[in-house]
C-alpha cells in the first residue's frame, strides 16, 4: 500500500506509547481509524488528540484483545460502521512479571500469552477476510527484540513474542501470492510504559527504553509502503539482532546474562546454589 487517505486503519493498544503514535501518524495521513485499548480513559485521550488532527470518522472500543469474542465483535463493528479494514496493526501487549521462571506461576504465562500472542492471532484472523475482500491491505504484527533472543526474567514475555514471530512468519508465506502484505516488527528499547508493572521495571525503563515511539512508527509506515516485511528498530535492536544469528547460543547466553545482571535480584538467583532449594522462593 502506498496511500492511506480514507483507508480504514485498525490499531490495538492505541491508548499510549507506540499505539498512540500509530494513531496520530495515520490521522495525519488522512486515514479512518478504528482504535482499541484495554484502558478506556487512555483510549479516550488518544481519541481527543486524533480529532484535533482529523475530522474523518473515528471508532473506539475498550476491551481486552485476548478475549476472542470481543475481538470478533470489534471486527464486525468496524465493517458495519466504517467499511472493510485496509491496515491492521496488532500492537497491544503487556510485560511479564520480571521474575525468573521458577518464581512465576502458570497464570503469568497464561496471561501474557493470551494477550500478547492470542491477541495478535485473533486480531489477524478477525480482520483478514476484510483485507482479502478489499483486494489490498497490510497486517502489522508487533513482536519484540525479545522475540529474537531469550533474556533473563522475561521467559513469559519472550515466549509470547517468539510465538508472534512464528505465527507471523508462517502467515507471510501463506499470503505470499496474495495482495496482502504482512509485516513483523521487532521493537528495541522504545520509550513506552510497557515495563511499568514488572519487578525492577523502572530500572529497566531507565536503562533500555530510549527510542521515541514516533521514530519506529515512521519506519513501520515506510515498510508498509515499500513491502519490507521485517523491521528491527530501536535502542540496542541492531545489537540484539546480530547476536541472534552471529553468536553461538552459549556465548550469547553469557553476554546477555552479564548485560542484564544488575537488574537481577541476587535473592531470586540464590536458589541455584542452595542445596535445600529454599532461597528465592516467593
Amino acid at each position: 500500500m502506498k496511500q492511506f487517505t480514507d483507508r480504514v486503519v485498525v490499531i490495538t493498544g492505541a491508548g499510549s506509547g507506540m499505539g498512540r503514535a500509530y494513531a496520530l501518524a495515520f490521522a495525519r495521513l488522512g486515514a479512518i481509524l478504528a482504535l482499541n485499548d484495554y484502558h478506556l480513559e487512555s483510549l479516550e485521550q488518544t481519541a481527543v488528540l486524533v480529532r484535533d488532527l482529523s475530522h474523518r470518522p473515528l471508532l473506539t472500543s475498550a476491551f481486552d484483545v485476548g478475549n476472542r469474542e470481543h475481538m470478533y465483535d470489534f471486527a464486525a463493528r468496524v465493517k458495519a460502521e466504517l467499511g472493510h479494514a485496509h491496515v491492521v496493526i496488532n500492537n497491544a501487549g503487556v510485560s511479564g512479571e520480571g521474575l525468573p521462571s521458577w518464581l512465576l506461576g502458570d497464570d503469568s504465562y497464561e496471561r501474557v500469552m493470551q494477550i500478547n500472542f492470542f491477541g495478535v492471532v485473533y486480531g489477524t484472523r478477525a480482520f483478514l477476510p476484510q483485507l482479502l475482500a478489499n483486494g489490498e491491505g497490510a497486517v502489522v504484527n508487533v513482536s519484540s527484540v525479545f522475540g529474537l533472543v531469550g533474556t533473563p526474567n522475561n521467559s513469559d514475555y519472550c515466549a509470547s513474542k517468539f510465538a508472534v514471530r512464528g505465527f507471523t512468519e508462517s502467515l507471510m508465506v501463506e499470503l505470499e501470492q496474495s495482495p496482502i502484505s504482512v509485516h513483523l516488527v521487532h521493537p528495541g528499547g522504545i520509550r513506552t510504559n510497557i515495563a511499568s508493572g514488572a519487578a525492577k521495571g523502572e530500572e529497566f525503563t531507565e536503562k533500555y527504553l530510549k527510542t521515541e515511539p514516533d521514530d519506529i512508527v515512521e519506519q513501520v509506515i515506510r515498510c508498509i509502503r515499500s513491502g519490507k516485511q521485517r523491521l528491527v528498530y530501536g535502542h540496542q535492536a541492531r545489537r540484539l539482532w546480530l547476536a541472534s544469528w552471529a553468536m553461538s547460543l552459549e556465548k550469547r547466553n553469557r553476554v546477555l546474562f552479564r548485560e542484564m545482571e544488575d537488574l537481577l535480584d541476587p535473592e531470586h538467583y540464590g536458589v541455584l546454589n542452595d542445596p535445600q532449594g529454599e532461597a528465592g522462593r516467593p
Side-chain angles (χ1 to χ4, degrees):
M1 292 186 63
K2 303 295 184 182
Q3 300 298 324
F4 304 103
T5 303
D6 293 327
R7 298 294 196 271
V8 177
V9 177
V10 178
I11 304 165
T12 67
S16 63
M18 287 188 292
R20 178 173 289 178
Y22 282 120
L24 298 181
F26 279 103
R28 294 185 188 100
L29 294 172
I32 297 168
L33 298 180
L35 306 180
N36 149 270
D37 199 272
Y38 181 73
H39 299 286
L40 177 59
E41 183 177 353
S42 298
L43 183 61
E44 290 176 341
Q45 291 171 356
T46 297
V48 169
L49 296 172
V50 166
R51 290 190 178 100
D52 286 341
L53 295 172
S54 172
H55 298 293
R56 287 176 170 81
L58 170 65
L59 186 155
T60 62
S61 185
F63 65 92
D64 179 354
V65 296
N67 185 306
R68 181 187 183 280
E69 181 179 352
H70 290 174
M71 180 63 80
Y72 278 80
D73 287 348
F74 181 48
R77 195 178 156 205
V78 169
K79 180 179 177 180
E81 298 184 24
L82 302 178
H84 288 148
H86 294 81
V87 178
V88 178
I89 302 178
N90 290 305
N91 165 78
V94 295
S95 68
E97 293 189 32
L99 296 170
S101 57
W102 55 87
L103 292 182
L104 289 171
D106 292 342
D107 57 341
S108 178
Y109 289 99
E110 292 165 0
R111 177 187 71 89
V112 175
M113 190 65 73
Q114 193 65 35
I115 296 169
N116 291 1
F117 174 61
F118 282 102
V120 169
V121 173
Y122 298 155
T124 300
R125 287 170 48 80
F127 285 99
L128 187 56
Q130 298 182 26
L131 272 59
L132 291 169
N134 288 331
E136 68 168 354
V139 176
V140 179
N141 289 341
V142 180
S143 176
S144 167
V145 289
F146 285 7
L148 297 172
V149 300
T151 57
N153 284 16
N154 287 287
S155 61
D156 45 1
Y157 185 77
C158 287
S160 68
K161 293 302 185 176
F162 268 84
V164 169
R165 174 185 174 185
F167 169 73
T168 307
E169 289 184 0
S170 181
L171 186 69
M172 289 174 178
V173 181
E174 293 171 347
L175 295 177
E176 175 62 24
Q177 298 298 312
S178 82
I180 311 304
S181 64
V182 181
H183 309 271
L184 178 59
V185 183
H186 294 277
I190 309 300
R191 194 187 301 277
T192 70
N193 61 2
I194 185 67
S196 60
K200 296 207 172 184
E202 291 185 9
E203 294 93 326
F204 183 90
T205 298
E206 180 67 25
K207 183 173 182 179
Y208 292 116
L209 306 188
K210 298 182 180 296
T211 300
E212 293 301 326
D214 290 346
D215 295 343
I216 191 170
V217 166
E218 179 181 349
Q219 296 300 318
V220 170
I221 291 172
R222 288 181 181 178
C223 287
I224 297 173
R225 283 176 163 159
S226 69
K228 181 180 178 181
Q229 292 189 303
R230 187 190 306 277
L231 176 65
V232 181
Y233 186 86
H235 181 63
Q236 293 200 349
R238 181 173 177 80
R239 179 183 176 189
L240 288 174
W241 174 70
L242 289 171
S244 72
W245 59 267
M247 283 185 181
S248 70
L249 185 57
E250 293 79 9
K251 181 177 181 181
R252 188 177 84 201
N253 291 341
R254 290 192 295 270
V255 169
L256 288 171
F257 187 86
R258 288 197 298 269
E259 166 66 27
M260 300 186 71
E261 189 172 8
D262 61 328
L263 296 177
L264 309 180
D265 190 328
E267 291 187 7
H268 293 164
Y269 281 77
V271 67
L272 302 178
N273 298 304
D274 181 2
Q276 303 302 317
E278 295 297 330
R281 288 184 180 175

